[in-house]
Amino acid sequence: MKTSLKDIAEELRLSKTTVSWVLSGRGNERGISQATQDRVKQCARRMNYQPNLLARSLNTGVSSTIGLILPSISDSFYSQVAREVEMEAERHGYSLMICSSESEGERENRMIRMFRAKQVDGIILAPTKISKTEIRQLVDDAFPLVVFDRYFSELKTHYIIIDNEQSSYRLVSHLIERGARRIAIVTTNPHLTTMDQRRAGYARALTEAGLPVDPDLYGEAAFVGYEENVFRALDRIFAKAPDVDGFFFTTHILALEAFRYFHGRRIDINDGYGLACIHEVPAMSVLAPAMNVARMPVGEIGRNAVRMLLGDIRNRGGLSRSADREFESLVLPCELCFRD
Amino acid sequence: MKTSLKDIAEELRLSKTTVSWVLSGRGNERGISQATQDRVKQCARRMNYQPNLLARSLNTGVSSTIGLILPSISDSFYSQVAREVEMEAERHGYSLMICSSESEGERENRMIRMFRAKQVDGIILAPTKISKTEIRQLVDDAFPLVVFDRYFSELKTHYIIIDNEQSSYRLVSHLIERGARRIAIVTTNPHLTTMDQRRAGYARALTEAGLPVDPDLYGEAAFVGYEENVFRALDRIFAKAPDVDGFFFTTHILALEAFRYFHGRRIDINDGYGLACIHEVPAMSVLAPAMNVARMPVGEIGRNAVRMLLGDIRNRGGLSRSADREFESLVLPCELCFRD
DNA sequence: CTGAAAGCGCTTACAG
DNA sequence: CTGAAAGCGCTTACAG
């Protein structure tokens, strides 16, 4: 049998109150005699007492748990963020429930409801942006929430994103400096602000350099079945713009898939092409030593998300749903690595 | 304010009992009039009622939550398993708490205690094998537990591993068939059974083919700081055995690091070397099209872990700590992809 | 210095 | 057909 406070109290012929004070470390504060404290602690150890945190949470209204919802746990970017969030949360005494929305709006809604029902103290979320009914509900209820990677301009939330436009701009500008004139962009889901901003940065770099933004150099690969889509997009680019001399990939996944394409088509990408990509994976430095990358600040994202969320959690009830709540928006710069 | 059963009961001048029956879907079973049921459901919707699952769990002793402890969430193998576990758990109405032990024994112990305190119904664990005090406690308490990736021969638990010896044997045998005679092994943490078995498979393949197991062809890279360690190990192999004509990497991480080495040393690994590796990452097929790989059955691992665990959870109390409990040990085969 | 009691929000025998 | 009551395992005013 599991031992409870009551068991210890009965064993020692004390009240649950006393046992509770001692075990929660507030024995001195309550002026409980050292002798009693020792007896209680020893008995707890002997009976291998472990507090039931569910009961504590039900009583205090605090679960010391935060919920993290990711579009995909197995994606390297999100799993790195998850790691940072977990470490930082643990440092503050919080543990983590993790769910994957699989980029499905309805799943995301379900996860949010589930987390609330399980009484998490707050939620960190990389939204799918497909359906936001439950997110809106969180906002309305002033539920502690931090959104990252993507955000909603029309919703009042804390959010953390990277400087998509600026990083893209600088990467592409670098390619231009290095002599590229016909730079293709390979991107995905353009309806996401993230991707839209990256495309905008690409366009600005070209325009500022007096280069045209040529639709023939635009490659789009829908996320579902992106393997073939990347191939198709690249085939189209090479057909319509055989003079292409640079590639800007808006995600690491697209870049990796492109490498497979180049390899299959026997194109030596490391010769005569300017290359740039958002987010880095270990293999990249071998696959394309000359690839210029914008490194996602996963540590900053994770740590800041937890910091913001805990700030909100502490303030709960205080400001609560007042309209003049302060929302922090963080636009983190990527670290740019120029390699060619 | 959050609405509770009591709020609905008062609003409708019913008892909490009635409301509870209706909302838990057992209204008909309890013979509650349709009219009342409708009123309750409508009221719940109107007041945006969400049950407090903590309270339910405290009452029923079931949290419908399972804990997953991984050596590292951001490693592609573990994060893929996490994804499978989450999907399968969700299918059965369970949610997931995830922690990373960072391969530290004490951290692992802390995580286990925390999960128990938070009343998870069971734990799935890829152990660090460093300190196992809490794991032993789980076993003693007949706490639902499934161990994967590594296991303890001296501990009675369910476990899931892959056929490390056999897969390694077949990979290396394949290299031999293809003509390699001086095959090096690059491995890590030899005290882990996993790695030991892989080394054993390598040795058996050589021995059966009448080839010597040459210490000069043995490369070991400790996990901490493995970047430099891999480099050092490979330098040593090339120095002592310049006639090396094949490489067997016991993990994808080692292989990726080795590619960086080869690239730095300007060695064309795709020419004249037999290559094999356990676990596959997307980049590999581009980096080394001729790499033979054993694919980890992440789906099988995840699904079976959940299945075994749920079996245990259902039986709790029944067999409980009886010594004649049945333990399932699953040795899953890897899918072998021969590419050269 | 210690304890009796109420309460967190549910579920579930038991009673009528 | 519906309800009063006890209990899950804690915490915490309040009292003495």
Side-chain angles (χ1 to χ4, degrees):
Chain A
M1 252 315 284
K2 286 216 62 182
T3 56
S4 68
L5 274 191
K6 197 174 145 204
D7 299 325
I8 298 179
E10 284 173 355
E11 177 84 4
L12 259 32
R13 303 181 154 282
L14 287 167
S15 74
K16 289 190 302 174
T17 310
T18 305
V19 178
S20 175
W21 286 122
V22 174
L23 261 24
S24 61
R26 291 193 281 175
N28 292 328
E29 180 185 325
R30 291 286 304 180
I32 293 171
S33 73
Q34 201 53 53
T36 307
Q37 290 201 41
D38 290 345
R39 285 172 63 216
V40 170
K41 282 178 185 159
Q42 212 194 335
C43 182
R45 189 159 311 122
R46 180 161 47 80
M47 299 177 80
N48 195 22
Y49 172 73
Q50 298 288 103
N52 182 329
L53 261 27
L54 248 40
R56 177 181 295 169
S57 297
L58 179 59
N59 183 288
T60 60
V62 169
S63 66
S64 297
T65 302
I66 70 190
L68 176 64
I69 304 177
L70 268 16
S72 159
I73 324 184
S74 51
D75 176 275
S76 86
F77 167 60
Y78 293 117
S79 72
Q80 284 177 49
V81 172
R83 178 167 184 274
E84 300 291 338
V85 168
E86 198 225 318
M87 304 297 259
E88 186 68 10
E90 206 227 342
R91 195 165 302 137
H92 294 275
Y94 281 76
S95 40
L96 209 59
M97 305 205 55
I98 301 188
C99 275
S100 166
S101 67
E102 301 295 316
S103 298
E104 295 167 26
E106 259 330 300
R107 241 182 104 89
E108 178 179 281
N109 283 330
R110 248 194 353 265
M111 300 309 172
I112 294 176
R113 277 196 301 271
M114 204 266 303
F115 277 160
R116 298 190 71 171
K118 294 215 169 173
Q119 310 301 115
V120 301
D121 293 335
I123 292 178
I124 297 175
L125 168 70
T128 64
K129 185 127 198 185
I130 295 170
S131 157
K132 43 192 179 232
T133 59
E134 290 296 331
I135 299 180
R136 187 164 283 133
Q137 188 69 52
L138 289 170
V139 173
D140 288 348
D141 296 343
F143 192 93
L145 170 70
V146 173
V147 159
F148 79 96
D149 191 41
R150 307 164 187 170
Y151 80 107
F152 308 97
S153 50
E154 72 279 21
L155 251 40
K156 290 249 158 226
T157 67
H158 297 298
Y159 66 80
I160 302 175
I161 54 172
I162 60 161
D163 61 344
N164 289 296
E165 204 271 350
Q166 176 70 7
S167 287
S168 303
Y169 168 79
R170 290 188 55 196
L171 283 173
V172 175
S173 293
H174 178 80
L175 297 186
I176 295 170
E177 268 171 42
R178 288 304 191 164
R181 287 295 169 269
R182 299 283 287 157
I183 304 170
I185 180 172
V186 180
T187 188
T188 184
N189 302 15
H191 60 282
L192 293 174
T193 43
T194 328
M195 296 305 154
D196 198 46
Q197 291 167 348
R198 294 178 191 177
R199 193 201 43 69
Y202 159 82
R204 180 160 68 94
L206 293 181
T207 307
E208 282 191 10
L211 297 171
V213 179
D214 185 345
D216 288 347
L217 291 167
Y218 179 79
E220 186 180 313
F223 187 71
V224 281
Y226 65 87
E227 291 91 344
E228 305 90 77
N229 294 334
V230 169
F231 274 56
R232 212 169 299 138
L234 286 168
D235 267 342
R236 184 180 155 282
I237 289 171
F238 277 107
K240 297 213 165 192
D243 57 341
V244 57
D245 60 6
F247 288 92
F248 169 51
F249 304 101
T250 61
T251 81
H252 62 290
I253 299 184
L254 296 169
L256 285 178
E257 211 46 50
F259 283 121
R260 189 163 291 159
Y261 170 91
F262 293 134
H263 187 265
R265 291 282 189 277
R266 311 228 163 275
I267 297 171
D268 182 2
I269 198 63
N270 291 310
D271 185 29
Y273 294 96
L275 298 173
C277 176
I278 302 255
H279 192 47
E280 187 179 35
V281 289
M284 227 170 248
S285 62
V286 184
L287 283 168
M291 171 76 82
N292 301 288
V293 298
R295 284 204 186 119
M296 295 282 211
V298 287
E300 294 283 294
I301 293 173
R303 284 190 296 276
N304 280 293
V306 173
R307 176 182 59 72
M308 289 181 184
L309 194 70
L310 296 190
D312 247 30
I313 291 173
R314 291 198 197 92
N315 281 339
R316 261 226 108 172
L319 310 156
S320 76
R321 70 179 66 210
S322 66
D324 50 331
R325 223 149 61 96
E326 291 273 327
F327 291 100
E328 194 174 342
S329 52
L330 211 56
V331 181
L332 295 170
C334 290
E335 182 191 349
L336 296 173
C337 303
F338 297 127
R339 290 182 176 139
D340 59 2
Chain B
M1 253 316 281
K2 286 216 62 182
T3 56
S4 69
L5 274 191
K6 197 173 147 208
D7 299 325
I8 298 179
E10 284 174 356
E11 176 85 4
L12 260 32
R13 306 185 149 276
L14 287 167
S15 73
K16 288 191 303 174
T17 311
T18 305
V19 177
S20 175
W21 286 121
V22 174
L23 260 24
S24 60
R26 292 193 279 175
N28 291 327
E29 180 185 322
R30 292 284 306 180
I32 293 171
S33 72
Q34 201 53 50
T36 307
Q37 291 201 40
D38 290 346
R39 284 172 64 216
V40 170
K41 282 179 185 158
Q42 212 194 335
C43 183
R45 187 157 314 120
R46 179 161 48 79
M47 300 178 80
N48 196 21
Y49 171 74
Q50 297 289 104
N52 181 329
L53 261 28
L54 250 40
R56 177 182 295 169
S57 296
L58 180 58
N59 183 287
T60 59
V62 168
S63 67
S64 297
T65 302
I66 72 191
L68 177 65
I69 303 178
L70 269 16
S72 159
I73 325 183
S74 51
D75 176 276
S76 87
F77 167 60
Y78 294 117
S79 72
Q80 283 178 49
V81 172
R83 179 166 184 274
E84 300 292 339
V85 168
E86 198 225 317
M87 303 295 258
E88 186 69 9
E90 207 226 341
R91 195 166 302 136
H92 294 275
Y94 282 77
S95 40
L96 210 58
M97 304 206 57
I98 301 188
C99 275
S100 167
S101 67
E102 300 294 317
S103 298
E104 296 167 27
E106 260 329 300
R107 238 182 106 89
E108 179 179 280
N109 283 331
R110 239 183 16 252
M111 300 308 172
I112 294 176
R113 278 196 301 274
M114 203 267 303
F115 277 160
R116 297 190 72 171
K118 293 216 171 177
Q119 311 301 116
V120 301
D121 294 335
I123 291 178
I124 297 176
L125 168 70
T128 64
K129 186 133 196 184
I130 295 171
S131 157
K132 43 193 181 234
T133 60
E134 289 296 332
I135 298 179
R136 187 163 286 133
Q137 188 68 51
L138 289 170
V139 173
D140 288 349
D141 296 344
F143 192 94
L145 170 70
V146 173
V147 157
F148 79 95
D149 192 38
R150 307 163 188 170
Y151 80 108
F152 307 97
S153 50
E154 72 279 21
L155 251 41
K156 291 249 158 229
T157 66
H158 297 298
Y159 67 80
I160 303 175
I161 54 173
I162 61 160
D163 63 343
N164 289 296
E165 204 272 349
Q166 175 71 7
S167 286
S168 303
Y169 168 80
R170 290 188 57 195
L171 283 173
V172 175
S173 294
H174 178 80
L175 297 186
I176 296 170
E177 268 171 43
R178 288 305 191 159
R181 287 295 169 270
R182 298 282 288 158
I183 303 170
I185 180 171
V186 179
T187 188
T188 184
N189 302 13
H191 61 280
L192 292 174
T193 43
T194 328
M195 295 306 154
D196 198 47
Q197 291 167 349
R198 293 177 192 179
R199 192 201 42 70
Y202 160 82
R204 179 160 70 93
L206 293 180
T207 307
E208 281 191 11
L211 296 170
V213 179
D214 185 345
D216 288 346
L217 291 167
Y218 179 78
E220 187 180 311
F223 187 70
V224 280
Y226 64 87
E227 291 90 342
E228 305 90 78
N229 295 333
V230 169
F231 275 56
R232 213 169 299 140
L234 286 169
D235 269 342
R236 184 180 155 282
I237 289 172
F238 277 106
K240 296 213 166 193
D243 57 340
V244 56
D245 60 4
F247 289 92
F248 170 52
F249 303 100
T250 61
T251 80
H252 62 292
I253 299 184
L254 296 170
L256 286 178
E257 211 47 51
F259 281 120
R260 191 164 289 160
Y261 171 90
F262 294 134
H263 187 265
R265 293 281 189 276
R266 311 229 162 274
I267 297 170
D268 183 1
I269 198 63
N270 291 309
D271 184 28
Y273 295 95
L275 299 173
C277 177
I278 303 253
H279 192 48
E280 187 179 36
V281 289
M284 226 170 248
S285 63
V286 183
L287 283 168
M291 172 76 82
N292 302 289
V293 299
R295 286 207 183 114
M296 295 281 212
V298 287
E300 294 283 294
I301 293 173
R303 283 190 296 275
N304 280 293
V306 173
R307 177 182 59 71
M308 289 180 183
L309 193 70
L310 295 190
D312 247 29
I313 290 172
R314 290 198 198 92
N315 281 340
R316 262 225 108 172
L319 311 156
S320 76
R321 70 180 64 209
S322 66
D324 51 330
R325 222 148 64 96
E326 291 272 329
F327 291 99
E328 194 174 340
S329 53
L330 211 55
V331 181
L332 295 170
C334 288
E335 183 193 346
L336 296 173
C337 303
F338 297 128
R339 290 184 174 135
D340 60 2

